Amino acid sequence: MARLDIQNLIEKHGLKTSIRFANKMDDRMRLDLIRGHIDQDEPVLLAIGNGHTRRDEFQPLSRYFVGHYLTVYGYNEGKQIFYVYDSWLKGHYKTEIPIGNEVRSYKQLLW
């Protein structure tokens, strides 16, 4: 789905959106951007390369060929993790998390 299609779909349901490109930002700027939106109670929909073929299985080369979206709903700065919803994953996260269905470290999300 093209980015404008997603933006139109979200706005059709009465939500406000903006599209930002992070490809020219360094990692700190990317993290600050995501956390800044979360701090404003704004979930972040990310277009990513998907290397996660299943829960707990990551294949680095896959991320170059498989486009995917996931939603970031929260983070824990002390643990340096994001709470995300990833529709690609089946089953549940091993332990209870405050929101979403998966935890990704800052490093995992940036990679």
Side-chain angles (χ1 to χ4, degrees), residues 41-53:
D41 292 326
E42 300 169 346
V44 178
L45 181 66
L46 295 177
I48 63 167
N50 191 20
H52 291 272
T53 54

Side-chain angles (χ1 to χ4, degrees), residues 22 25-35 46 48-49 52 58 63 80 82 104-111:
M25 295 180 184
D26 64 28
D27 287 349
R28 182 169 180 79
M29 292 170 66
R30 290 175 183 168
L31 291 172
D32 287 345
L33 180 64
I34 295 168
R35 290 183 302 225
L46 295 177
I48 63 167
H52 291 272
F58 183 73
R63 70 185 177 176
Q80 295 200 347
F82 286 108
R104 298 274 168 83
S105 69
Y106 287 4
K107 184 178 178 181
Q108 287 173 318
L109 202 66
L110 293 170
W111 197 33

Side-chain angles (χ1 to χ4, degrees), residues 50-63 66 86 88-90 104:
N50 191 20
H52 291 272
T53 54
R54 291 178 226 207
R55 187 171 299 286
D56 298 326
E57 186 177 310
F58 183 73
Q59 296 180 356
L61 288 178
S62 295
R63 70 185 177 176
V66 181
D86 187 340
W88 185 258
L89 302 176
K90 291 183 170 67
R104 298 274 168 83

Side-chain angles (χ1 to χ4, degrees), residues 38 43 71-75 82-86 93 96-103:
I38 299 302
T71 307
V72 181
Y73 287 104
Y75 68 96
F82 286 108
Y83 303 111
V84 304
Y85 178 76
D86 187 340
Y93 192 69
E96 188 174 326
I97 56 178
I99 192 165
N101 71 340
E102 184 63 272
V103 170

